[in-house]
Amino acid sequence: MSLLFAATGLIGGMSTVFTSLWSFFSRAPYFNAPRFAGSRVWRLVYAAGLVLGAAAWVVSMGAPEHTSVPLWQLGVGGFIAGFGARLSNGCTAGHGICGMASLQAPSIASVLIFLATAMATARLVRALA
């Protein structure tokens, strides 16, 4: 079970963090729904902790291997991935970590479907190679 959920009962899925942070910038009713706007402060602190934790890792352990992808493309890609995860009601990592830890049937189904699709695709690609 995820530590955040076990300690507080709060679910720290990143797609919900992404959506709740949009409530700071958008007046759209969807982003300002009470479930997002009401939790945006702790989610902002949670996201900041993740960023600061990664920064602490880089400072203490050194930067990981470099990528040749420009920083702006990484940012755009992250935005698109976050938007897509929000549209699909969460990403497979969030379902796998947060949803399965709290034994939510839709999350278990999502992860099983993802894994089955990934295994079938890998098998197909290997057979065609």
Side-chain angles (χ1 to χ4, degrees), residues 5-54:
F5 181 76
T8 64
L10 301 172
I11 298 174
M14 286 298 105
S15 60
T16 305
V17 168
F18 181 80
T19 303
S20 66
L21 293 180
W22 271 104
S23 70
F24 282 112
F25 307 106
S26 175
R27 300 248 186 257
Y30 176 77
F31 295 119
N32 287 287
R35 69 185 180 122
F36 298 129
S39 65
R40 67 185 181 181
V41 173
W42 76 260
R43 290 183 193 280
L44 179 62
V45 171
Y46 182 58
L50 292 171
V51 171
L52 292 173

Side-chain angles (χ1 to χ4, degrees), residues 7-127:
T8 64
L10 301 172
I11 298 174
M14 286 298 105
S15 60
T16 305
V17 168
F18 181 80
T19 303
S20 66
L21 293 180
W22 271 104
S23 70
F24 282 112
F25 307 106
S26 175
R27 300 248 186 257
Y30 176 77
F31 295 119
N32 287 287
R35 69 185 180 122
F36 298 129
S39 65
R40 67 185 181 181
V41 173
W42 76 260
R43 290 183 193 280
L44 179 62
V45 171
Y46 182 58
L50 292 171
V51 171
L52 292 173
W57 172 268
V58 168
V59 168
S60 65
M61 303 301 282
E65 292 184 27
H66 290 71
T67 178
S68 61
V69 178
L71 191 57
W72 72 269
Q73 287 180 341
L74 291 173
V76 169
F79 177 83
I80 291 170
F83 187 76
R86 183 67 261 160
L87 282 178
S88 63
N89 204 23
C91 66
T92 52
H95 282 293
I97 295 168
C98 298
M100 289 184 68
S102 57
L103 300 176
Q104 295 179 9
S107 292
I108 294 169
S110 174
V111 171
L112 290 176
I113 290 169
F114 175 78
L115 287 174
T117 303
M119 288 187 287
T121 301
R123 180 68 101 175
L124 179 65
V125 168
R126 186 169 184 168

